[in-house]
Amino acid sequence: MPSTDILLAFFVTTAVFAFIPGPAMLYVAARTLAADRRAGLMATLGIHLGCYAHVIAAAAGLSILFHLVPMLYLAVKLAGAAYLIFLGIRMFRSRGQQEPEQVPVLSPKSASRAFLESIAVEVLNPKTAIFFLAFLPQFVDAGAAFPVWLQFLILGTTVNLMFSFADVVCVLAANLITSRLSRISSLQRNLQRAGGAILVGLGLHVAFQRT
């Protein structure tokens, strides 16, 4: 593995990146706003598992395809953006199962759906692949005892775990806010709409952001 100084720089840099608010944090916060803490945590788990596709791709050198074939990158990016917009619109328009004199309660399937949809969202995010391809080589030592592909896997897994930890913190913070606001039944529907609007905004941002 790389030297201690390089590893220290790697951990510090990764921590800074992890806790800078970004699309993943907004996504899991939107899931939490629209449903509950469980849905937010399941969304975080889905993103975490989906990210391993990019870690493996980086280790195998497949991510470089996005550099060599710009149209492939554009196609994957637009597919991911369209999926985010679709999820946001569906979330915005959906109605919870409302019981008398209680706030709306979303379907129990919301958490499992958030998990499966989040895997797809992350796999369809080419910027994650580009991030790993650009970031990880800075801390890989070709002369180390471990082969380069194994270093990619270890460093990529570490990055994924740290980013997921930051997402969990974001979910807990969002849940703390929503648990207080949801006591007012009229706000529950607005929170769900806010979550949907965030996803639509993320999709539009991804679609029109310059590569």
Side-chain angles (χ1 to χ4, degrees):
M1 289 295 289
S3 66
T4 303
D5 291 341
I6 293 178
L7 288 177
L8 179 60
F10 166 76
F11 282 113
V12 172
T13 305
T14 301
V16 171
F17 275 123
F19 284 93
I20 293 177
M25 281 190 174
L26 289 176
Y27 177 81
V28 297
R31 283 292 189 176
T32 307
L33 288 174
D36 52 21
R37 180 178 61 185
R38 185 166 180 264
L41 292 175
M42 291 299 286
T44 299
L45 179 60
I47 290 178
H48 179 80
L49 294 180
C51 188
Y52 283 116
H54 299 295
V55 174
I56 295 173
L62 297 179
S63 297
I64 200 169
L65 284 175
F66 287 129
H67 285 295
L68 299 178
V69 187
M71 290 303 297
L72 176 62
Y73 175 89
L74 180 61
V76 174
K77 185 182 79 165
L78 292 179
Y83 190 57
L84 277 173
I85 294 172
F86 165 76
L87 293 179
I89 292 175
R90 189 179 67 181
M91 187 182 297
F92 189 87
R93 298 179 60 184
S94 66
R95 296 181 179 180
Q97 300 172 347
Q98 190 167 0
E99 300 177 4
E101 298 182 358
Q102 292 185 0
V103 298
V105 179
L106 296 182
S107 167
K109 295 182 179 179
S110 295
S112 59
R113 177 180 293 172
F115 170 70
L116 295 175
E117 291 174 347
S118 299
I119 294 177
V121 166
E122 184 61 15
V123 170
L124 289 173
N125 182 9
K127 285 194 174 295
T128 302
I130 296 299
F131 171 80
F132 278 115
L133 187 63
F135 180 68
L136 295 184
Q138 311 302 320
F139 305 97
V140 170
D141 184 359
F146 288 177
V148 170
W149 67 266
L150 182 56
Q151 293 182 56
F152 265 100
L153 285 179
I154 294 174
L155 295 176
T157 299
T158 302
V159 170
N160 196 15
L161 288 170
M162 293 182 70
F163 272 68
S164 294
F165 175 74
D167 291 342
V168 168
V169 172
C170 183
V171 168
L172 296 179
N175 181 72
L176 180 63
I177 296 173
T178 56
S179 62
R180 296 185 179 184
L181 294 180
S182 62
R183 295 173 185 173
I184 305 175
S185 59
S186 61
L187 286 178
Q188 183 66 29
R189 176 61 179 148
N190 290 332
L191 288 175
Q192 187 171 343
R193 287 176 174 173
I198 290 174
L199 292 190
V200 172
L202 280 175
L204 293 174
H205 174 72
V206 170
F208 292 103
Q209 186 180 36
R210 292 183 177 180
T211 57

